[in-house]
Amino acid sequence: DLHLSIRRQRQMCIREDTVYGKNEVIIEKGEVHMHESNCKDKICMKMGKISIPGDSIICLPNRVMVKIVSDKKNHDSWI
């Protein structure tokens, strides 16, 4: 499990390489999207950008889930 505290202004690329597959998540301008995945169906990439707490992107073949959770103390988002 990877949990990150990201401020909305922050930009980053997260690469996940496991025995199940490879995924690349881009965080930019308060939005998150699955930029790359080596899964067969690419449904996770077609899910588009997410930005609201509770939104998620799931890549079942590669066993990756990206979920936005609000940290109400300082209004940051957790990914």
Side-chain angles (χ1 to χ4, degrees):
D1 288 356
L2 175 65
H3 300 274
L4 300 171
S5 176
I6 306 295
R7 297 199 184 277
R8 290 200 174 266
Q9 305 89 339
R10 186 86 193 253
Q11 295 181 3
M12 71 179 356
C13 174
I14 301 168
R15 291 181 180 94
E16 184 75 15
D17 187 359
T18 70
V19 296
Y20 303 109
K22 297 179 183 180
N23 293 76
E24 182 175 287
V25 176
I26 302 289
I27 303 166
E28 185 175 44
K29 298 178 184 174
E31 297 179 321
V32 181
H33 71 278
M34 187 71 69
H35 181 71
E36 192 64 46
S37 177
N38 69 346
C39 64
K40 291 181 182 180
D41 55 21
K42 310 284 188 212
I43 291 173
C44 55
M45 294 174 61
K46 296 173 188 172
M47 294 179 83
K49 296 179 179 179
I50 60 172
S51 60
I52 300 169
D55 284 351
S56 62
I57 299 172
I58 299 170
C59 181
L60 285 177
N62 294 359
R63 299 185 187 187
V64 172
M65 181 176 86
V66 177
K67 183 176 182 180
I68 299 179
V69 181
S70 175
D71 179 7
K72 295 186 185 220
K73 293 178 190 172
N74 58 16
H75 303 288
D76 287 347
S77 293
W78 287 78
I79 300 170

